[in-house]
Amino acid sequence: MSLAKNIIEAMKFIEANDVKFIRLQFCDLFGQNRNIAITPMQMERALASGIPFDASLVVGFPESRQTDLVLCPDITTIQLLPWRPQQGKVARILCDIRYPSGEIFTADSRYILKQTLKRAEALGYQFNTSADCEFYLFKQDENGDPTTIPTDQAGYFDLAPYDRGENTRREICLTLEDMGFEIESSRHEAGRGQHEIDFKYDDALSSADKIMTFKTVVKTVAQRNGVHASFLPKPLVDEPGSGMHIHVSLSKDGHDIFENNGGLLGAEAGHFIAGVLAHVKGMTAIANPLVNSYKRLTGGKEAPRHIGWGFGNRSSLIRIPMESDEYYRFELRGPDPTCNPYLTFALILAAGLEGIEQQMVLMDELKLGEDEINQDPVAADTIQELPITLIDAVNEMAADPLIKSVLGEELTEKFIELKRAEWMDYIKTVHPWEIDRYLLTY
């Protein structure tokens, strides 16, 4: 679409919907939404030449040189924010990022995924994804600050009155549908106050955009209902962690390579999965970016830490669903919802493509459950595991050349630098567990 037509269509949408503010959104290195608000009077300028901003204080962006960047709206992503006033509405547009000269800012997460998708398309592949996003709803204190007290004591698939988050979850689903999501299911999860909402798969770029929007909607609607929504991977010691299981589909010439007949994978599917498993340690710091992420990975059966794949095996890091439908796929169960979805999808795709190009041999299917692996000394010694701490994951990332080839040298080094500093902050902090464990004895 030409620039002139973009401007005309945007202004028609703004006028027809009585939009008074437009949020220009972008994503920082750690997958957090950022935005600058403009009025409709600035929309033509935004589409023609972008809106400049100082990137020096944005996580993962330049700190000392070339800190002036420009937000370039992707007009195809314009959406109304349903929770804002009905008179004088607010819309949001996702943005690409450039330098004032027009040169592409190559550390833009959205750009990195776009480039990886272009490489796949050049090879004839269409990459689709979806995500199962889990989160907790916690009570707020008298000041409106979040607590770690769950909103209910309900469990898996429970109904009201035990599920006290039902109304909030329903409002989240309706808001998402107003924004163009197709909700497939929603439910109370296994943890007290834990929930999951699943939406339909899409091309990977649109799916990553939706994940970013999803997290904003969940937090906003929860706050409007007087509760706090948290995507923290392991907020409670004795409750299940929250994951973001990623469903991956790859098709070529209209044929999904993960189609399986009676539990048999094709060679191309096997190569792709082998590539992902070969690089999964290196991509774990991106897919599980917090110190807290590894409390989930080491603390329960629903977050498999052993590297393997299997048909229908929920203890496998990669699970291939046994159910038969038209959407053939595999499910990567390691990532959590604090990840940057653009970078995570880009790494999964790049690793899988390398597996196809190099015809990597897929390891034997993992048929053991988590408990069986732990009780079998031979299996426990021979089956590789994901990193068990953030610093282990960061070191694996630094050692994997594929990561740098996808993210770029500068962005990779910046991520590693920031995460090593985060780990040192954690190490230097005296935690309540240490006081409880050692103070009386020593």
Side-chain angles (χ1 to χ4, degrees):
M1 186 181 292
S2 68
L3 175 59
K5 193 169 184 181
N6 271 339
I7 294 172
I8 292 170
E9 291 299 318
M11 298 314 293
K12 281 182 179 179
F13 180 92
I14 289 167
E15 184 177 353
N17 289 283
D18 188 32
V19 173
K20 298 302 183 186
F21 286 93
I22 302 104
R23 291 182 181 176
L24 304 183
Q25 284 189 358
F26 63 101
C27 174
D28 70 16
L29 174 58
F30 292 160
Q32 295 295 306
N33 267 325
R34 307 295 179 188
N35 83 106
I36 293 175
I38 63 172
T39 64
M41 292 180 64
Q42 299 298 315
M43 195 63 214
E44 186 172 341
R45 171 193 168 210
L47 290 169
S49 57
I51 298 295
F53 70 104
D54 178 5
S56 60
L57 296 179
V58 180
V59 174
F61 283 25
E63 295 175 357
S64 58
R65 58 182 179 84
Q66 293 184 301
T67 60
D68 292 329
L69 295 175
V70 177
L71 294 178
C72 301
D74 177 352
I75 195 60
T76 64
T77 66
I78 190 169
Q79 285 183 319
L80 295 175
L81 301 183
W83 59 86
R84 301 303 295 167
Q86 290 307 298
Q87 290 186 334
K89 296 177 183 176
V90 179
R92 77 95 165 97
I93 305 177
L94 302 181
C95 296
D96 298 314
I97 304 173
R98 293 180 179 268
Y99 291 104
S101 64
E103 181 185 353
I104 292 170
F105 177 61
T106 57
D108 175 15
S109 299
R110 206 163 180 263
Y111 170 78
I112 289 169
L113 177 55
K114 283 182 177 181
Q115 290 302 104
T116 312
L117 290 170
K118 283 182 180 178
R119 181 178 161 224
E121 289 165 6
L123 296 171
Y125 294 106
Q126 170 69 36
F127 184 58
N128 291 333
T129 58
S130 66
D132 303 338
C133 294
E134 298 170 334
F135 57 94
Y136 274 85
L137 293 179
F138 292 115
K139 294 180 180 179
Q140 296 179 332
D141 64 19
E142 62 275 8
N143 297 319
D145 294 324
T147 70
T148 54
I149 302 171
T151 54
D152 60 43
Q153 303 296 311
Y156 203 44
F157 291 161
D158 271 348
L159 306 172
Y162 309 107
D163 176 7
R164 295 183 181 177
E166 184 180 67
N167 290 339
T168 300
R169 194 172 66 244
R170 179 171 60 245
E171 187 177 338
I172 290 169
C173 290
L174 293 174
T175 301
L176 290 169
E177 287 186 340
D178 285 343
M179 298 184 74
F181 283 66
E182 184 175 337
I183 303 301
E184 292 192 330
S185 65
S186 66
R187 60 181 176 272
H188 197 289
E189 263 292 337
R192 293 177 296 135
Q194 189 184 32
H195 304 265
E196 180 177 316
I197 296 174
D198 305 335
F199 47 89
K200 189 176 181 180
Y201 71 93
D202 210 332
D203 66 271
L205 181 64
S206 297
S207 183
D209 289 343
K210 287 179 177 178
I211 290 169
M212 297 298 295
T213 299
F214 172 84
K215 291 194 283 188
T216 297
V217 169
V218 169
K219 284 185 167 291
T220 301
V221 173
Q223 188 176 53
R224 286 164 58 90
N225 282 270
V227 296
H228 175 75
S230 175
F231 290 98
L232 200 64
K234 188 72 171 176
L236 300 173
V237 174
D238 298 322
E239 298 293 339
S242 291
M244 188 180 83
H245 303 157
I246 298 174
H247 298 267
V248 171
S249 173
L250 191 73
S251 59
K252 189 173 187 178
D253 300 326
H255 174 74
D256 198 311
I257 71 167
F258 296 113
E259 182 175 351
N260 61 84
N261 299 309
L264 296 175
L265 279 179
E268 203 169 22
H271 298 325
F272 189 96
I273 294 174
V276 173
L277 293 176
H279 292 285
V280 73
K281 289 183 180 181
M283 68 176 74
T284 296
I286 296 292
N288 307 88
L290 305 185
V291 169
N292 183 260
S293 298
Y294 299 85
K295 308 295 175 69
R296 166 183 168 259
L297 290 178
T298 59
K301 301 176 185 178
E302 288 298 308
R305 69 178 188 271
H306 293 95
I307 298 175
W309 70 279
F311 286 101
N313 185 356
R314 294 183 185 275
S315 293
S316 294
L317 182 61
I318 288 181
R319 181 182 80 96
I320 301 175
M322 292 297 292
E323 64 266 23
S324 176
D325 59 22
E326 296 180 358
Y327 177 39
Y328 294 99
R329 62 199 184 277
F330 73 75
E331 178 188 9
L332 182 62
R333 297 176 59 80
D336 67 56
T338 63
C339 75
N340 182 324
Y342 300 103
L343 301 184
T344 303
F345 289 171
L347 289 172
I348 293 170
L349 177 56
L353 291 178
E354 183 183 281
I356 291 175
E357 291 168 340
Q358 297 185 8
Q359 297 191 340
M360 291 184 180
V361 178
L362 182 61
M363 64 179 67
D364 291 339
E365 180 183 356
L366 179 61
K367 297 183 178 181
L368 299 177
E370 192 74 21
D371 289 339
E372 294 172 305
I373 294 172
N374 294 331
Q375 294 167 9
D376 185 335
V378 175
D381 286 342
T382 56
I383 300 173
Q384 293 192 50
E385 296 183 359
L386 292 174
I388 63 170
T389 66
L390 177 61
I391 194 62
D392 291 337
V394 168
N395 291 337
E396 291 285 355
M397 176 180 177
D400 190 337
L402 176 79
I403 311 300
K404 189 175 293 186
S405 72
V406 176
L407 306 188
E409 184 173 351
E410 185 176 353
L411 189 68
T412 302
E413 291 178 356
K414 173 56 67 175
F415 185 92
I416 290 171
E417 174 193 336
L418 292 171
K419 285 300 172 180
R420 282 177 172 162
E422 185 176 328
W423 176 256
M424 287 308 300
D425 285 343
Y426 171 70
I427 290 298
K428 290 185 291 186
T429 302
V430 178
H431 301 277
W433 180 91
E434 299 171 76
I435 301 302
D436 293 342
R437 184 71 175 257
Y438 300 129
L439 186 62
L440 183 62
T441 303
Y442 296 98

